[in-house]
Amino acid sequence: MTLILCDVGPRDGLQNESEVLEPVVRAELGNRLAAAGLPRVEAVSFVRADRVPQMAGAEEVVAGLQRRDGTEYSGLVLNEQGYERFAAAGLDRVNVTLGATEEFNQRNGNASLAEATERVERILAGAAEPATVTISVAFGCPFEGRVDPARVAELAALFDGAEVVLADTIGVAAPREVRSLVERTKAAGFHGHNTRNTGYANALAALEAGAQVLDASVGGLGGCPYAPRASGNVATEDLVYLLEHEGIETGVDLDALIHISEWLETVLGRKLEGQVYRAGSFPSE
């Protein structure tokens, strides 16, 4: 099985922090993750700084990234303006996102579901880089409640040429639901939050259903500023520990991830959500 772990800590992780880290620190985080062997790092989001100040200076972050063989750097965009900035910055992969519900798109991207879908299609049509489409709130929306799987399946089918990732943005899904929707949509990936302590089981369910891309955030950083109480991304080091003990090779240095979380704890001045960085690996060397 080919498995791609994507660490979204520099983007999805830090965008929910109250503290705004300087671009040089965010670039250092990306570099540390790449050095740990992550095959993909979502480094930045090309959004308006007045809406998400934690993501200001995306171009400076990109300029500070050290390119490594085996690591693909991606950037998230919501619209054509964001894609123009992405293309000029020169990252490896574009992640275009939209919500599965009307209200989430209005709150997150100031567009209707139809408008957001059309934006994604236009960006994909013009993109020269490999593309991922992340469908947010694919299992539940903080504003509209449960999401009809048929709606998500219809959306995913529109982006057949791209890598589609289903996001449990507010952490409401259970393994049965993840397995069913990944199988139904043939989605390439899953982005889970551990808000209700189901994120790791959901990640395994996604793999069982055929997904090959799993998003996670070092230290369990993150959430969504436009989704109330959407805390707790799956922690990358916790997921790596689980996968490796399940006999699934990740190619990622777990000890290096633990050190990154320890460093982030000092940078942010608080305990992180992840468990393995505090408990340590097992067996220890």
Side-chain angles (χ1 to χ4, degrees), residues 239-253:
L239 183 59
V240 167
Y241 180 88
L242 172 63
L243 293 171
E244 294 282 353
H245 281 256
E246 283 288 304
I248 302 171
E249 292 292 330
T250 66
V252 180
D253 186 334

Side-chain angles (χ1 to χ4, degrees), residues 6-84:
C6 175
D7 194 294
V8 300
R11 197 279 302 173
D12 194 23
L14 294 180
Q15 77 172 11
N16 211 43
E17 290 293 315
S18 57
E19 183 178 356
V20 178
L21 299 185
E22 292 297 320
V24 65
V25 179
R26 288 150 52 202
E28 182 176 355
L29 174 56
N31 290 331
R32 288 178 180 234
L33 291 168
L38 266 299
R40 187 181 297 174
V41 176
E42 190 173 73
V44 291
S45 179
F46 294 95
V47 293
R48 287 169 45 180
D50 60 334
R51 288 180 63 92
V52 189
Q54 296 87 344
M55 291 293 102
E59 287 81 0
E60 296 174 63
V61 175
V62 175
L65 294 174
Q66 299 167 358
R67 302 307 174 95
R68 291 176 177 269
D69 290 341
T71 296
E72 183 181 51
Y73 287 109
S74 68
L76 182 139
V77 306
L78 295 178
N79 51 38
E80 289 95 335
Q81 292 82 3
Y83 176 74
E84 289 173 4

